[in-house]
Amino acid sequence: MQANHLLNKKPVLQPLGCSQQPRQLRSTRSFASCGSSPTGITLDGQWLGSDSFTQLNDRVDAAPLPLPNITRPVRVCLVRHGQSTWNAEGRIQGSSDLSVLSPKGIVQAGAARDMLAPLPVTAVFHSPLARAAQTARAICEGRAVPATQLPALREVDLYGFQGLIKAEGKARYGAQYLQWQKRPAQFEIDGHAPVRELWYRASLAWQQILTQTASSQPTQQQQQQQQQSPAVCTPDALTTSAPSDEPDDSGLLLVVAHNAVNQALICTALGLGPGSFRAITQANAAVTMLQLTPGTAAPPPSGSVAGSSGAAGGAAASCGQAVVQPGVQLLCLNQTSVEVLKVEDEVSARVILLCCDGVSQAGNTSAAVTRLAQLLSAMQVHAVAGPSHLHPVAQQLTQLLPSPVPFTPLPPSTAHSAPTTNTDGLPHPPSSPGSSSSSSSGTSCESSWSEVCSMAAHMGGQNVVILLHAASASDLICSALKLGNVVHSTHETSTSSSDSNAAASPGVAAHAGAAVSGSQAHGSAVLLPFCMSPGSIAVVKFSGDPVSTPAVLHCILMPGLGAPLA
């Protein structure tokens, strides 16, 4: 009942061209001298119990709602706002609205605009906070596109933390601040559970975005623009993603919001619970692309255990209620126009995956290999590994690196087999046992990922490059993020599973999305949750020993979408 009440709230529709001057910023945390305040913070930094968003009643510590099904394919582009003045100061923003884009942030927003310029954006949804609205206006400069302001897209509500310099937060809150840093899903402050509330609010945002999209058809002008504009990614990548009998004429939905809420949008779509907060990176003005495909009422593949992408979907299914949800694929993640691999004090190791489907194994060096070599030019690579048949690709790469790097053949259990090829010449996931299309592949994938982590640790914990095919790459990323071994089905579901990333406490377990495997059932096809097009590069990083430290998916770089290097 409460969910229906929240979904009935009307979003604010306004043209992006109507720029609103940001309010005058304050240099200290003195937000209010007494009484109530739009920020909810008093002069001495105490949470008053309410702010301008309290009346929305969307701060709910409950399991997220399942994604609503769609009737045609939808591509969604998530963009985090450019650097804000408070980002530059190292100040905790939360859902406060006392910062605007810094000069650097304005440049970053312009770079995101240039990356997305060829793409036919048909609708924009953005956070009500000034820093996100400014970024949305910059990206949509020169476009005649409807824009909807959604309060559900605001940044995570951090209550008493908001406005503090991070060092102040650590000094004032001690153990509570440490919990926010180390165990954010369990973190509570001022009577609220910010991350668990955020997961629920992200599901509300999905409801509004996809429901509003389903009720609107693209105009003839937008359809013509879709036909005339370059593809979102390479043709191979588009064909490798979800097949559909309906034309993809919906264009691109642009969502401009914030770091934490973008993480929650991605995770709730993929079926990851709040225990996965910070397992996915969202840099300032970075682009993330999702492909959603209509679900059907057909049963999942024989012998598989079906799950759903949303936690509420799993809960409904366990009660015997059929839930049909769209298939979800991540096409690119955290992609910017600046160099993504740089020396970082907090990063001790990286595993870099190169999708070699369609990459030339003989003759001239492929563009994908050259691109990866450029990306690694400032870094020391300790090893290049892959199945034996990709050794020629490894030779191309090592010839371009500053110093010689050994090639390590991977065992079949790690590399899987080469993808099969259909008459269109495009790679498809292998269907042999142990591949991503097998319902029993979860254990094999986890073992493969463990082998990769052991290799990274053995090589000194620096940078290890893995050459592999799309299905294997998706499997390894699923294992890195602990997505589990249950088929993520786009059909009616009858069985659910707990999110392997959820903590044991009841408050967190209730938010767990159904576990998702390295494949999703879609009719007779298999959808890869992480759909890496030929030449795509994924980077997984660790803050400590790769064997024992949680993995963070830093980026998936898609060829043809901007430039990965400055």
Side-chain angles (χ1 to χ4, degrees):
M1 296 297 292
Q2 188 173 24
N4 291 336
H5 167 68
L6 294 175
L7 291 177
N8 288 332
K9 289 183 176 293
K10 295 183 178 180
V12 179
L13 181 65
Q14 60 184 21
L16 283 175
C18 298
S19 176
Q20 180 179 351
Q21 293 297 322
R23 67 196 69 181
Q24 182 66 36
L25 301 183
R26 300 172 186 259
S27 58
T28 69
R29 191 177 149 162
S30 303
F31 301 149
S33 57
C34 60
S36 62
S37 162
T39 65
I41 303 294
T42 63
L43 179 64
D44 59 353
Q46 299 300 312
W47 169 246
L48 289 170
S50 65
D51 61 9
S52 58
F53 295 114
T54 300
Q55 60 184 343
L56 298 174
N57 294 320
D58 61 0
R59 289 165 170 159
V60 181
D61 184 359
L65 305 174
L67 292 184
N69 199 18
I70 53 179
T71 58
R72 62 180 187 271
V74 174
R75 194 167 296 121
V76 180
C77 176
L78 304 178
V79 181
R80 182 188 175 190
H81 63 80
Q83 185 197 61
S84 71
T85 49
W86 278 20
N87 285 151
E89 293 177 18
R91 196 175 292 276
I92 302 171
Q93 297 180 110
S95 58
S96 66
D97 197 16
L98 295 172
S99 65
V100 293
L101 293 186
S102 67
K104 180 179 179 179
I106 293 172
V107 172
Q108 291 172 332
R113 176 192 62 230
D114 295 342
M115 286 181 66
L116 300 175
L119 308 184
V121 176
T122 55
V124 180
F125 300 87
H126 66 88
S127 159
L129 305 182
R131 54 194 186 271
Q134 280 183 278
T135 304
R137 282 194 293 271
I139 293 175
C140 293
E141 183 179 344
R143 296 181 188 261
V145 57
T148 303
Q149 176 180 291
L150 292 182
L153 289 175
R154 71 186 183 273
E155 183 57 303
V156 59
D157 298 309
L158 288 176
Y159 308 101
F161 274 11
Q162 294 180 174
L164 292 173
I165 296 291
K166 293 176 182 178
E168 295 174 343
K170 184 176 181 179
R172 177 175 295 192
Y173 287 92
Q176 218 171 356
Y177 187 83
L178 182 63
Q179 187 180 46
W180 160 242
Q181 292 294 312
K182 301 297 184 182
R183 298 181 301 280
Q186 289 83 34
F187 167 63
E188 295 186 5
I189 184 174
D190 296 316
H192 291 271
V195 175
R196 302 199 298 269
E197 291 176 359
L198 178 66
W199 248 242
Y200 178 77
R201 177 153 56 81
S203 75
L204 292 182
W206 275 125
Q207 298 286 327
Q208 294 170 314
I209 292 167
L210 296 180
T211 302
Q212 181 168 326
T213 301
S215 63
S216 62
Q217 295 291 333
T219 65
Q220 183 177 0
Q221 179 182 4
Q222 289 169 341
Q223 291 186 36
Q224 291 174 348
Q225 186 183 16
Q226 170 76 4
Q227 296 170 358
Q228 296 170 359
S229 299
V232 171
C233 53
T234 62
D236 287 347
L238 290 176
T239 310
T240 305
S241 55
S244 175
D245 294 331
E246 299 182 58
D248 187 359
D249 60 358
S250 56
L252 184 71
L253 304 182
L254 176 63
V255 177
V256 184
H258 309 266
N259 177 14
V261 71
N262 280 8
Q263 290 186 54
L265 289 169
I266 296 166
C267 288
T268 52
L270 292 173
L272 286 164
S276 294
F277 185 63
R278 296 200 184 100
I280 292 176
T281 304
Q282 289 287 281
N284 286 121
V287 171
T288 296
M289 204 80 68
L290 294 159
Q291 175 78 30
L292 278 65
T293 306
T296 65
S302 176
S304 66
V305 181
S308 64
S309 64
S318 65
C319 299
Q321 178 182 351
V323 177
V324 181
Q325 298 184 73
V328 180
Q329 294 178 291
L330 192 64
L331 303 181
C332 75
L333 172 75
N334 199 38
Q335 187 157 346
T336 70
S337 60
V338 299
E339 188 175 4
V340 294
L341 291 187
K342 57 185 179 180
V343 176
E344 299 175 271
D345 293 338
E346 67 275 14
V347 177
S348 64
R350 293 182 182 86
V351 171
I352 300 131
L353 309 177
L354 174 63
C355 180
C356 293
D357 296 280
V359 174
S360 172
Q361 297 184 29
N364 295 330
T365 302
S366 69
V369 172
T370 301
R371 180 167 170 257
L372 178 57
Q374 291 176 326
L375 196 66
L376 297 170
S377 60
M379 310 297 298
Q380 184 176 1
V381 177
H382 284 67
V384 176
S388 297
H389 69 275
L390 291 179
H391 189 199
V393 179
Q395 289 179 316
Q396 294 177 19
L397 176 62
T398 55
Q399 289 173 0
L400 297 175
L401 295 176
S403 58
V405 179
F407 176 74
T408 303
L410 291 179
S413 62
T414 303
H416 296 323
S417 59
T420 58
T421 303
N422 152 343
T423 54
D424 59 8
L426 298 172
H428 293 273
S431 57
S432 58
S435 73
S436 66
S437 58
S438 169
S439 63
S440 61
S441 64
T443 302
S444 173
C445 295
E446 292 173 5
S447 174
S448 299
W449 178 246
S450 296
E451 291 177 21
V452 170
C453 291
S454 296
M455 179 187 301
H458 178 69
M459 294 296 175
Q462 292 297 318
N463 299 298
V464 174
V465 176
I466 309 293
L467 309 177
L468 69 182
H469 295 286
S472 301
S474 182
D475 282 346
L476 288 182
I477 295 173
C478 284
S479 297
L481 296 181
K482 303 186 186 304
L483 268 166
N485 62 348
V486 179
V487 172
H488 174 135
S489 175
T490 58
H491 310 293
E492 293 184 3
T493 59
S494 57
T495 306
S496 65
S497 173
S498 297
D499 179 13
S500 56
N501 277 325
S505 64
V508 177
H511 295 74
V516 183
S517 76
S519 62
Q520 307 175 51
H522 187 277
S524 60
V526 173
L527 307 184
L528 304 178
F530 301 93
C531 184
M532 292 182 64
S533 58
S536 287
I537 299 167
V539 179
V540 180
K541 62 184 183 180
F542 304 86
S543 60
D545 184 350
V547 174
S548 58
T549 305
V552 174
L553 182 58
H554 178 65
C555 64
I556 298 177
L557 305 181
M558 177 200 302
L561 179 63
L565 299 175

